[in-house]
Structures are given as structure tokens and as C-alpha cells.
Amino acid sequence: MSDITHPIEHHRDDEGTRLGFWLFLYTELFLFAAFFLVYSVYRSSHLEDFKLAAESLNTGIGTVNTIILLTSSLTMVLSLDALKKGSVKLAKTLLLVTFALGMAFLVIKGFEWSAKFEHHLFLQTAKGIAAGHGSPLLTPGSEMLPVGQVLFFGLYFIMTGTHALHIIIGAIWMLIVFFWMSKGSVNQDNHGVLERCGLYWHLVDVIWIFLFPLYYLVA
Amino acid sequence: METSPSQSYLNSHTSPKWTGGFMSWFMSTDHKRIGVMYAVAMFSFFFVAVLLGFVMKLQKMYPASSGWEIIPVELYGSFFTLHAIIMIFLFIVPGAPAVLGNFFLPLQIGAKDVAFPRVNLLSFWLYLLGAIMAVVGILLGGADTGWTFTPPYSINTKTISIFGVVFDSISWMLTAAFILGWGTILTGINFIVTIHRMRAKGMGYFKMPLFTWSIYATSWLQVLATPVVGITLLMIVIERIMPVGFFDPSKGGDPILFQHLFWIYSHPAVYIMILPSMGLVSEIIPTNSQKPIFGYKSIAIASCSIAGVGYLLWAHHMFTTGMSDFAAILFSFLTFFVAIPTAIKTFNWTATLYKGSITLTPAMLFALAFIFNFSIGGLTGMFLGSLSTDIHLHDTAFVVAHFHYTMFGGAAFGLIGGVFHYFPKMFGKMYSMKWAKAAFAFMFIGFNALYFPMLVLGYYGMPRRYHTYPDMPIFNDLQMASTLGSWILVTGVIMVFGVWIHALIKGKQTTEINPWNSSTLEWQTATPPTLFNFEEDVEITRDPYDYEAFRGEVKAGTSAGAKNV
Amino acid sequence: MTTHEQSLSPRTPIMVFGALIILTIATVLLSGLDVGNTGALLIAMSVASIKAALVLYFFMHLNHEPLIFKLFLGVAFFTLLAIFVLTFSDYSFRVI
Ligand code: HEM
Ligand SMILES: [Cu+2]
């Protein structure tokens, strides 16, 4: 039998693939846009509470994390450029650096979160709350935070959490690309995967560029 | 099995590994097979949901005081929720793009496949996964929140426990909807890139058939609207299982904000449903009038402006929720704008009929019914879009009739008509014309007998989502008429399926390339199409609906529309 | 294969990166100013938009992409804008 492979796989359309990937990035953007919309609405209706709650966030940590993420974006760009020039080794090193910076971001985020946990501003299952060891965040009764702050912390955890999830996905992706580069299937001529991984990583950065001022600066 | 690219797609495979039986379909990246698989899955779900609707109508045959009860009150809520979830998320939103778009979009633009065939298969798998999850959720726990999942009810309503295990069927169904959403998004991305990158030589944007144009507009809505509702539904899940506040007023949330986010998707979604069917009508009508479509460009542009304007109207679903008066007036005002491109299309279709040599094929009958039903659906939409009348009509049977006129009488009639139109090309089998026309007659009469009374019922104040009604002559008579209509309609639906299944099993084999003498490109290739659609590269030299040139080509014996190079 | 020629010298990315860092520090410092709520929001969002534009344009290589990529970005951007403006046509005029 004749071995039929798909005609599309014969002729590679890098520009088309990039176009499709950009469309995918827009869907990610719109996903976050819904969160941002919720944030803006509640910020406008609970301004004082948002400001009070935001004081418990550490601007220093936020700034450091922003710089880490921006740096990782730079190393990502340089890694792709290196691959395009044919220096696979440099590309691999820079990709690892990017990965490490992503991890650093997560570790710092983790410390920040656990500090919040200790102040009982933590996420908890509805079951736990029903069992009575709830956080003051939501336990009905005396110690419950004002609703504006409940909204703030909920949004803070879920938005930064979703963002962190994207960082994790991006990091795993980098490891896979790294592996492919070692195997040689991703190379100077075939660098589309690294390019897309980079685009994804930059988008995650763009989202953080907006998260950062909204949570650490203006609230 | 011996396969070669010049054989029908029904006998050749995209992967040398899977060449037989079920797996040769399930693992196939061929856009045509994927389209057929969607069709099988979607129409099966459709049939289940039709039966649910049938039972609901049966319930409303007699008023409460008569003691008539087919389904208890508590179950009625689950019934309309499941009916709507299946109809919306599993049937009409994937709808025509998934079935006929997949099959015919590449054929219409002279491409060998879509841009990302494997992603296309992934879309189908996601659809199937989401659908199976939804069905499991239905069987295990169900939901009675309505397909709109409106909080706070959707947040606070209890979970059920099965044999002591807590099962949160609402979260489960919401997650299923999220997964289904990704299926549609990926299809949309795929089609946009296909249209931009894979048109045959000579196929300029304004040489594309109108179905392709409508799919293009639809795809943009799928890409830009679906993520919003996806994450919004997940927010409900998060709010159900974690102590955060998004929409629950007891945690400071604003349930109206949920409705904004929900309708930011779900209003554009009604155009996701209707635009592809409009595209199908734009194919069926010129073919069966043997005339160029009137105002080709204005229809193409109208598709895009419907998509664009359609994104800006969502809050007309929320006039009575307590949103600000300013927004209500603004959205009411904006709503009227979408009537313009819609009316342009309707006028163009009717103008195409004028002095055409009309053949009333089953597809043509469905297309004409589309115009009729959709005009009623669209015009009643104007009642609901104007602020003052909507206050009276909101959440009544009028609304139910309105959206069935658009989604069923419009979108689903268009899709069914499209399947009749393309059936011989897809399967190389011919169905019985006589039975197809009879099925149409039942569907059309039954449909109007079912829903027209509901318009009046709503006007007299019959609320939506109610399980019964008080014993009053006007209600009793109209409800009875409506229920009888549902019997005729369901008979028609069963007949349509009967015609299709009979044709597939026992239908006359045909290899006729162009049974309806259509001038567009998808008809100028083998029946059924071969694996790579066209034997050679095609080049387009004329407009898609240039019937004069087409007849010349037929006389001269050159293949119409496409010149082999 | 990318059809367009692009210089692969690290100069541009590093300069862009410098600008991003400067803007980050600037926005942190500016947030200390007492310009009221709207003012602070306006400043922070403007700086963030500039930063995002730099990332999109240089790091994500929009500058090397054909027109169609920019048109797509425009479509996405205006849709986002519409969502926000229209939603606030409700919330800005709520009478509670
Ligand atoms: C024979 C076919 C059908 C019948 C008999 C039928 C009947 C019904 C009935 C009785 C209701 C409940 C009305 C109420 O109590 O307020 C309903 C609701 C609904 N139907 Fe259908 N229907 C049919 C087909 C369709 C189709 C084709 C679609 C969409 C493509 C559809 C979409 C819906 C939706 C979205 C609702 C709203 C449910 C809600 O209020 O949450 N139906 N239908
Ligand atoms: Cu609407």
C-alpha cells in the first residue's frame, strides 16, 4: 500500500502556524480579560476595601518578581535568536536560564502566598469551612472581613494562581523544547516550537505587566 | 486494504496505522471524516434533546387543575436545563461549522485540508470528551439551573450524594462546558488560518463562496467570545468549591456581573449559531434558482458586520436585572443596528429568487422555510430588544418562541437543509426526494403550530420555565395547539432521520459530480471527494456564482469554476 | 522558515529590556505620588500599556510580522476595549 502521509505535513507553513498561534494567544488574553473585568468592577465599587487589603501585599516582592519575569523574557528572546544563528548550545543554556528564572518567580510567589496563609487569608475548601475551621476570610460571624476585602483576596489568589499555572505550563514546555533541542529535532532550520514557546512566555509576561500594578501599586 | 489518494475519502486513510473500521475514523485527520463524525454525534444528541422537549410539551397539554402530570415539578427544571444544554452546547453551537464547515470549507476554497489537521481532530476529541462528561453529569446528578447557570442559585444549589460519595454535578457540567468551549475555539482558529493561508490560486477574498465567508465571521466570534464564558463558568466552579467571592452576594459579589460575562459570550453565540446557516442558505438559493446571488459583496460584508455589531449587544438580555438605566437604553439602541445587515441578507435572498428558475429540492424548501422562520424570529427579537416591550415580554413564552424561531426554525432548519443539499456529495448516495419533502412538510407545519401559539401565550403572560399554568380558556387552547404541533414536528424530525439513514443504507449509489448544477467549487470534484479533495491543483478564474460562465463551461465540457493546471 | 530578514544582534532586545526595567522602576516610584485614585490608575495603566507594547512589538517580533498580524491584534484590542467600555456603561451609572 502506498504510504499516505498528510499533504499538509509536506509543505510547512510557518507563517500560518504563527498566525494560528497568535489567535490562540488572544484566547488566553480574553480568558484573563474576564478576570480583569471582574477586578475592575469590584475595585470601582469597593475602592476603600481594595486599598486596605492591598496594603498587606509587599510591593518590594512584587517588583523583584516583575524584574525576574522581564529578565526571563529577555533570555527567551536571546535563546531564540541564538538558535536562529545556529548556536544550539547557547540557545540551550539561555533556555535553561529562562526556566530557572521562571522557577525563581514561582518560589518567591510561594513565599508570598504562604505568608498570606499564615494570616488565615487562605483558600480553603467549602467543606473545611463547614467543619468550622474556616478562615476569617469567610467564616460568617464576628471576624469576617468586609466583603470588599473578601473579593480582593479571592481575586488576588485566583488571578495570580491562574497566572502561576501558566508559568508552570510554560516551564514544562521549555523542558520539552530543551529535550528536543538536545535530540536535534528542534534546530536552526526548524525552530518553530521554540518560537511558539517564547511567544507564550512573553504573553504570560504581558499579563503580569498588568497584574503587577493592579495588585501592588494602585490598589 | 489498498488505498490511494485518488480513491473516495470513504476508502482512503490519512494514517497507515489505522486503516480499518472504527479507528480509521476516530484517528483520522481528514477534515471530511471529522465532519461526518461530528454529524453523527451531534444529530444523536439532538434527537435525545428533541425527546426531552417532546415530554415537556406533553406536560403542558392540560392545566394543573386537571391533575395531569407527566413529569413532577422538580424534574421539569432538570428537563429544560438538559434540553437546553444539549441543544446549545452539544448541537447548535458546534453546529454547521463542525459538520459542513469541516467538510466543505476546504473544498470551497480549493484546499487539501484545513490548516492544522491534527488540531482539528483534537477539537473533535475535546467535543466528545465534553459531551460525554455532560451526559455522565446528566445521568448522575443533573442540573436544574437552566443552561444559563445564573448565580446565586448555581453557586448555592446543593450537590447530590451517590452511595455516600459527594458528587458536584453542577461543577462537573460547568467543566464539561469549558472543555466543549475549547473544542470550538480550536475549530475557529483552524478555520481562520485556513481561509487566510490556503485558498487556491486565483481565489481572492471576494471570490470565496458565501458559506466560507459566514464561517469566517463565525470563527472570529468563536475565538474572541468563547474564552470569556469559559473562564466565567470556571469562576462559578471555583466559587462552589473555594471560599472566594465572585458573584455570590453574600460574599460581596454582584450576580449581575456574572450575567454580563455570560452574555458577552452568549449573545455573540447566537450569531455563532445563525451565521453558518445563513451561509448555507446563500449557497442553496442561487443553486436552486440558477442565478448569481443578488448582492454578493453585501452579503459577505453583512456576515462580518453581524459578527462585529453582534459583539456589542449582550446586555439586551439583562434589561430587567437591575442594571443601570443608561446601559439599558444604550444596549437597546445598539440592538437595532444588527437588524440592518440581517435585513440586507434577507432582501438579497428574496431578490435572488426573482426571475430565477426555481427548483424546489428538499434543501431549497428548508432554505425558504429558513427565511420565513427567521424573519419571524428576527422581528420578534426587535420586540425583545426594545426596552419598553421587553419589560412586559421578558421571561415569558414569547421569549421561548422567539429563540426557537431563530435557533430551530433558523439555524437548525438551515443546517438540516444544508445536509440535504450536500448529502449526495458527502456520501455518494441519493435519498428519496418524495420522503424528504414529506418530512419537510411535517417539520414546517409542526414547527409553526408549536411555536406560534407560544408567542401569543407569552403575550398573555405565560411565564417561561413553568411547569404548568392556570385553567383559563386562552391558555388551555393555545397550550393544546402547541402540544399537538410538537407531535407533528417530532414526527417530521424522525422522518428526516429516517430519510437519511435509509439513504445511507439502501440509497441509490451515485457518482454524479454536480446533481444540483451548482457553480461553486466544492461541486466540481469527484463524488464522494477523494482524500486530497482535488486531483490536481486548482485555479479559480471566475466569480463563485457566475452562472452564465458556469453554463458555458458545462457546455464546453471544461470543469466549471476550476481550471486544472 | 521565516521569510523576512531580521538582524539577530542582541542589541535591540537588550535595549528594550533596559527600557522595560526603567519603566518598572518608574511606575513603582510614581505610585508614591499623591495624585488621587484616577490619576494613579491612569499613570500605572499607561506605563503598563507601554511596557506591554514593547514586549509585543519587539520581544514577540510583531515588528517583523506581516500586516495581517497587526490587523488581528487590532481586532482583539478593540473587542477588549468594547467589553470594558460597555460593561462600565452599566457600572458607572448604577444608582444604588
Ligand atoms: C422538537 C423540538 C423541540 C421542542 C419540542 C422544544 C421544546 C422546548 C420546551 C418545551 C422548552 C421549555 C420552555 C419553558 O418551559 O420555558 C424549551 C426550552 C429551550 N429550548 Fe427547545 N425545543 C425543541 C428544539 C430546540 C432546539 C432545536 C433548540 C436549539 C437549537 C432548543 C433550545 C432551547 C433552549 C435554549 C431552551 C431554554 C431552556 C431554558 O429556559 O433554560 N430547543 N424547548
Ligand atoms: Cu442576544
Side-chain angles (χ1 to χ4, degrees):
Chain A
M1 66 170 269
S2 54
D3 187 316
I4 305 163
T5 43
H6 227 268
I8 309 306
E9 285 153 22
H10 287 317
H11 123 271
R12 203 173 84 201
D13 178 10
D14 280 351
E15 190 177 314
T17 311
R18 275 207 309 283
L19 194 63
F21 196 74
W22 271 91
L23 286 171
F24 168 74
L25 292 183
Y26 293 139
T27 65
E28 290 277 3
L29 195 68
F30 272 66
L31 211 131
F32 274 96
F35 279 132
F36 279 111
L37 188 62
V38 174
Y39 173 96
S40 344
V41 166
Y42 291 150
R43 183 179 183 276
S44 72
S45 56
H46 299 274
L47 191 56
E48 287 316 311
D49 277 338
F50 266 53
K51 286 194 160 152
L52 269 176
E55 272 168 23
S56 69
L57 298 185
N58 186 327
T59 311
I61 293 188
T63 315
V64 170
N65 253 348
T66 308
I67 291 175
I68 289 181
L69 219 49
L70 289 172
T71 317
S72 78
S73 258
L74 174 70
T75 53
M76 188 52 129
V77 173
L78 295 178
S79 166
L80 179 62
D81 283 356
L83 187 65
K84 281 184 186 165
K85 273 193 288 200
S87 25
V88 180
K89 210 163 158 224
L90 180 61
K92 275 167 67 180
T93 315
L94 283 165
L95 191 63
L96 271 195
V97 174
T98 315
F99 175 83
L101 287 167
M103 289 299 116
F105 178 92
L106 283 182
V107 169
I108 294 178
K109 188 96 253 162
F111 277 122
E112 203 184 358
W113 271 37
S114 50
K116 295 281 158 319
F117 285 178
E118 268 151 38
H119 290 88
H120 299 287
L121 299 170
F122 56 110
L123 297 172
Q124 219 185 9
T125 56
K127 220 165 136 195
I129 292 181
H133 30 90
S135 68
L137 188 63
L138 279 182
T139 319
S142 56
E143 270 198 291
M144 186 168 162
L145 289 172
V147 285
Q149 299 196 30
V150 174
L151 290 172
F152 179 89
F153 284 112
L155 280 165
Y156 166 75
F157 278 117
I158 299 299
M159 285 174 81
T160 54
T162 314
H163 181 260
L165 188 68
H166 280 75
I167 297 262
I168 293 172
I169 295 172
I172 294 176
W173 194 352
M174 281 182 223
L175 288 184
I176 296 174
V177 176
F178 184 84
F179 176 68
W180 283 340
M181 269 168 31
S182 308
K183 259 188 20 187
S185 58
V186 173
N187 49 41
Q188 182 174 16
D189 179 51
N190 184 18
H191 56 249
V193 195
L194 180 61
E195 191 166 34
R196 288 192 289 279
C197 181
L199 285 172
Y200 185 81
W201 192 251
H202 297 313
L203 183 88
V204 174
D205 196 8
V206 167
I207 289 163
W208 181 258
I209 285 177
F210 284 98
L211 282 177
F212 167 62
L214 286 178
Y215 280 104
Y216 296 87
L217 300 182
V218 298
Chain B
M1 189 197 283
E2 194 72 27
T3 72
S4 106
S6 54
Q7 271 181 353
S8 145
Y9 79 100
L10 292 166
N11 299 319
S12 43
H13 313 288
T14 51
S15 149
K17 223 186 310 171
W18 314 103
T19 54
F22 175 76
M23 287 313 260
S24 75
W25 285 83
F26 192 68
M27 301 299 289
S28 173
T29 55
D30 178 10
H31 65 103
K32 300 181 282 300
R33 288 197 171 205
I34 293 175
V36 173
M37 286 192 288
Y38 267 116
V40 173
M42 275 170 41
F43 280 113
S44 314
F45 289 125
F46 170 71
F47 191 66
V48 174
V50 163
L51 294 183
L52 289 169
F54 176 76
V55 177
M56 282 191 286
K57 285 273 67 158
L58 215 53
Q59 162 62 30
K60 295 211 200 177
M61 196 152 72
Y62 297 109
S65 52
S66 67
W68 174 262
E69 187 171 83
I70 300 286
I71 33 176
V73 197
E74 313 85 61
L75 259 187
Y76 192 80
S78 303
F79 264 61
F80 70 67
T81 305
L82 306 182
H83 169 77
I85 287 180
I86 295 178
M87 284 298 190
I88 302 277
F89 294 116
L90 303 189
F91 175 61
I92 205 75
V93 164
V99 178
L100 297 172
N102 257 319
F103 202 110
F104 287 103
L105 172 76
L107 282 157
Q108 284 201 322
I109 60 173
K112 288 184 170 151
D113 203 318
V114 292
F116 312 112
R118 279 178 296 191
V119 175
N120 203 16
L121 182 60
L122 177 65
S123 299
F124 176 70
W125 288 349
L126 287 174
Y127 167 79
L128 217 56
L129 175 67
I132 290 171
M133 276 183 72
V135 171
V136 169
I138 289 169
L139 293 179
L140 290 188
D144 57 358
T145 56
W147 73 283
T148 46
F149 295 108
T150 315
Y153 183 62
S154 62
I155 294 171
N156 300 330
T157 183
K158 61 185 187 322
T159 53
I160 52 135
S161 80
I162 312 157
F163 304 120
V165 182
V166 181
F167 178 69
D168 186 348
S169 60
I170 311 260
S171 299
W172 179 263
M173 308 274 267
L174 288 162
T175 315
F178 180 77
I179 294 173
L180 287 166
W182 277 102
T184 351
I185 290 173
L186 293 179
T187 304
I189 293 177
N190 223 331
F191 286 172
I192 295 176
V193 177
T194 307
I195 291 170
H196 275 291
R197 305 288 305 174
M198 303 191 50
R199 281 165 293 125
K201 207 165 153 210
M203 170 80 62
Y205 288 112
F206 283 113
K207 286 216 164 33
M208 300 192 306
L210 287 168
F211 180 56
T212 297
W213 266 103
S214 70
I215 294 281
Y216 184 68
T218 309
S219 300
W220 269 108
L221 288 177
Q222 288 173 337
V223 171
L224 294 187
T226 319
V228 178
V229 80
I231 200 67
T232 308
L233 297 182
L234 279 198
M235 283 190 228
I236 299 268
V237 176
I238 293 170
E239 204 165 351
R240 281 178 71 83
I241 58 182
M242 288 181 207
V244 294
F246 286 127
F247 308 118
D248 185 349
S250 71
K251 298 171 197 162
D254 177 7
I256 300 178
L257 184 57
F258 171 86
Q259 297 210 21
H260 274 297
L261 289 162
F262 182 83
W263 290 110
I264 283 175
Y265 164 75
S266 294
H267 185 75
V270 309
Y271 298 107
I272 293 178
M273 302 168 198
I274 198 70
L275 275 169
S277 290
M278 290 176 157
L280 289 168
V281 170
S282 310
E283 299 297 343
I284 296 170
I285 286 189
T287 298
N288 290 296
S289 312
Q290 289 293 302
K291 250 187 83 192
I293 192 149
F294 185 85
Y296 165 83
K297 266 194 194 175
S298 61
I299 296 188
I301 292 169
S303 286
C304 296
S305 43
I306 288 179
V309 179
Y311 211 105
L312 314 176
L313 320 174
W314 72 81
H316 64 207
H317 295 268
M318 300 163 56
F319 290 155
T320 60
T321 55
M323 99 183 150
S324 77
D325 289 349
F326 176 79
I329 293 166
L330 178 68
F331 277 101
S332 178
F333 178 73
L334 288 172
T335 296
F336 284 86
F337 279 97
V338 85
I340 299 169
T342 314
I344 289 179
K345 288 193 167 192
T346 314
F347 288 131
N348 284 351
W349 292 324
T350 17
T352 309
L353 296 172
Y354 180 66
K355 285 194 171 163
S357 40
I358 294 173
T359 325
L360 288 180
T361 60
M364 184 65 166
L365 291 170
F366 275 100
L368 294 175
F370 173 101
I371 301 181
F372 179 84
N373 292 338
F374 189 71
S375 299
I376 296 183
L379 290 172
T380 50
M382 294 290 98
F383 290 60
L384 299 169
S386 33
L387 202 40
S388 47
T389 38
D390 183 61
I391 306 289
H392 175 63
L393 295 171
H394 182 77
D395 266 350
T396 65
F398 188 91
V399 177
V400 179
H402 153 73
F403 66 67
H404 280 91
Y405 263 106
T406 53
M407 293 195 295
F408 191 2
F413 267 57
L415 173 59
I416 293 172
V419 173
F420 272 115
H421 190 57
Y422 285 117
F423 196 94
K425 172 71 49 192
M426 290 170 81
F427 302 109
K429 295 279 179 76
M430 201 56 198
Y431 47 82
S432 152
M433 286 287 182
K434 207 173 69 198
W435 281 98
K437 286 180 189 173
F440 166 77
F442 273 89
M443 275 192 72
F444 183 70
I445 295 169
F447 178 85
N448 281 288
L450 165 53
Y451 293 109
F452 202 85
M454 286 181 79
L455 286 173
V456 186
L457 276 167
Y459 173 77
Y460 281 109
M462 172 72 212
R464 167 188 189 179
R465 292 180 176 176
Y466 271 33
H467 146 271
T468 189
Y469 50 93
D471 186 359
M472 286 187 340
I474 180 93
F475 278 5
N476 299 354
D477 296 349
L478 288 170
Q479 290 283 14
M480 177 59 92
S482 175
T483 303
L484 292 178
S486 77
W487 298 357
I488 306 175
L489 174 60
V490 173
T491 312
V493 172
I494 293 174
M495 283 166 75
V496 166
F497 285 133
V499 170
W500 289 347
I501 293 169
H502 179 264
L504 283 178
I505 298 171
K506 291 203 169 149
K508 205 170 84 239
Q509 200 86 28
T510 171
T511 50
E512 202 182 337
I513 282 191
N514 197 349
W516 324 118
N517 279 322
S518 182
S519 66
T520 38
L521 185 57
E522 74 271 27
W523 294 100
Q524 323 302 337
T525 185
T527 295
T530 55
L531 183 57
F532 299 152
N533 298 342
F534 300 94
E535 288 298 283
E536 286 146 87
D537 287 340
V538 283
E539 186 178 342
I540 312 305
T541 51
R542 62 158 168 80
D543 288 339
Y545 303 101
D546 189 345
Y547 271 89
E548 202 126 331
F550 169 69
R551 280 188 284 269
E553 287 158 15
V554 171
K555 272 212 193 85
T558 53
S559 80
K563 195 174 72 192
N564 287 337
V565 283
Chain C
M1 273 278 71
T2 37
T3 47
H4 43 263
E5 271 317 304
Q6 37 178 289
S7 102
L8 296 177
S9 101
R11 236 177 75 98
T12 322
I14 288 175
M15 270 166 59
V16 172
F17 173 71
L20 287 169
I21 297 294
I22 293 172
L23 284 170
T24 305
I25 294 168
T27 187
V28 174
L29 294 179
L30 284 173
S31 73
L33 290 182
D34 188 15
V35 282
N37 170 43
T38 335
L41 196 63
L42 211 66
I43 293 175
M45 286 299 102
S46 313
V47 177
S49 305
I50 298 172
K51 283 165 72 182
L54 286 175
V55 173
L56 284 166
Y57 200 70
F58 292 105
F59 283 3
M60 297 172 84
H61 291 306
L62 262 187
N63 52 348
H64 292 301
E65 297 288 11
L67 178 67
I68 188 84
F69 284 71
K70 291 160 200 165
L71 291 178
F72 278 22
L73 178 68
V75 172
F77 176 75
F78 278 104
T79 314
L80 270 184
L81 197 69
I83 295 179
F84 274 81
V85 169
L86 286 173
T87 305
F88 273 89
S89 81
D90 175 9
Y91 285 96
S92 313
F93 296 93
R94 279 277 178 90
V95 190
I96 307 171

